[in-house]
Amino acid sequence: MVSGSCKEKLILYYGFDRLEELLRYEKAVLQPDHYMEEELRFLKNGGVSPLAYLSVGEDPGTDAPWHIPGKRSEWGSFWVDPHHPEWVARLLEKTRSALAKGFLGLFLDTLDTAAEVSREGALYLVKRIRNEAKKAYILANRGFALLPELAQYVNGILFESFSTTHSPRYARLPEDRLRQNDIIAYYLKTFGKELFALDYADSEELRAFARQRARNLGLYPVVSDKHLTFLS
């Protein structure tokens, strides 16, 4: 068992099992279908807050009325209309299901895609999710175009690709992107939320660069592989 004072703050892990290793973290973003209730109970008894992954702006499923025709992400997911009533109902049901299963909060992904389709629709959907989740912890992935309104609905913000990228290869971001991200990080700190940086690396040198840069800017570093199956 890992004592609370020794735990790392956050991990995003999209694999299966590894329960003992997950005890090293205060919060763990997990795929909700990858863990059963008893496994979530084990994590919570070990001082871990499991957060359920929830895609707000993209849907990996087959054709559906909420999909945007011809719009696909690099992962093959369909872009969605975040204001579509059937999509809203679907995500609210996913929220209820995850919390009833034993998750203590949510991780809202693909907010940038939702905001690009409809800023108003994305904010409406996040507000509905917050109301459904009540006081559960909500961590937003980016969603900078939804600020400042977004901040009232979430407890934390994760800055994905703050210092590095995995596409087309693992590498540091160009210097102009790094400077731009610095400015965004200073802006994020004005909201008083927990702030995390998610970066990707395939070498210890790149991992060290990402971790140190995040700490220098006041963000807690999380470094993984592109598929988020690496426990640092």
Side-chain angles (χ1 to χ4, degrees):
M1 191 69 69
V2 182
S3 66
S5 60
C6 298
K7 287 180 181 288
E8 298 179 50
K9 287 187 177 294
L10 178 72
I11 189 66
L12 286 86
Y13 176 64
Y14 292 177
F16 296 84
D17 304 321
R18 311 282 290 275
L19 294 174
E20 292 288 345
E21 293 168 85
L22 288 170
L23 293 179
R24 304 204 313 261
Y25 304 92
E26 292 180 7
K27 298 182 183 68
V29 174
L30 308 170
Q31 292 291 333
D33 295 336
H34 289 187
Y35 291 87
M36 296 182 292
E37 291 183 25
E38 55 267 34
E39 293 174 307
L40 296 175
R41 193 176 305 116
F42 173 84
L43 292 175
K44 290 186 290 184
N45 288 341
V48 183
S49 293
L51 307 180
Y53 175 93
L54 188 65
S55 178
V56 175
E58 298 177 18
D59 179 17
T62 55
D63 289 347
W66 52 82
H67 290 171
I68 307 288
K71 283 284 194 179
R72 302 290 288 268
S73 74
E74 65 174 295
W75 301 99
S77 299
F78 287 94
W79 286 30
V80 304
D81 173 4
H83 219 164
H84 194 286
E86 292 182 65
W87 180 245
V88 174
R90 184 180 178 87
L91 290 200
L92 295 182
E93 175 54 35
K94 284 179 176 286
T95 297
R96 286 189 292 269
S97 175
L99 297 178
K101 191 175 186 179
F103 284 92
L104 297 181
L106 303 165
F107 173 68
L108 305 186
D109 195 22
T110 63
L111 286 172
D112 288 349
T113 305
E116 189 168 338
V117 174
S118 169
R119 185 177 188 275
E120 178 188 2
L123 284 170
Y124 169 80
L125 181 49
V126 172
K127 180 180 179 180
R128 291 292 305 275
I129 292 170
R130 164 49 76 195
N131 290 341
E132 192 66 44
K134 298 182 173 61
K135 295 184 178 181
Y137 188 98
I138 295 181
L139 177 63
N141 186 10
R142 298 176 62 93
F144 306 144
L146 303 177
L147 293 168
E149 295 95 329
L150 175 67
Q152 65 185 302
Y153 304 125
V154 303
N155 304 92
I157 300 173
L158 180 137
F159 197 148
E160 185 179 9
S161 284
F162 179 59
S163 301
T164 70
T165 181
H166 61 69
S167 180
R169 60 184 178 82
Y170 290 98
R172 293 169 53 144
L173 292 174
E175 288 301 320
D176 59 337
R177 283 280 305 281
L178 292 175
R179 289 192 295 270
Q180 181 182 37
N181 288 354
D182 288 353
I183 295 170
I184 296 172
Y186 284 116
Y187 177 53
L188 294 179
K189 286 194 279 189
T190 66
F191 296 104
K193 305 294 176 178
E194 282 197 294
L195 300 179
F196 305 91
L198 171 63
D199 282 299
Y200 303 98
D202 62 349
S203 69
E204 188 50 46
E205 180 182 5
L206 197 56
R207 280 191 282 272
F209 165 73
R211 290 193 186 104
Q212 188 59 53
R213 187 167 177 278
R215 293 190 184 102
N216 289 346
L217 273 293
L219 284 71
Y220 187 86
V222 180
V223 184
S224 188
D225 64 337
K226 65 181 292 186
H227 298 292
L228 295 172
T229 55
F230 173 76
L231 289 174
S232 58

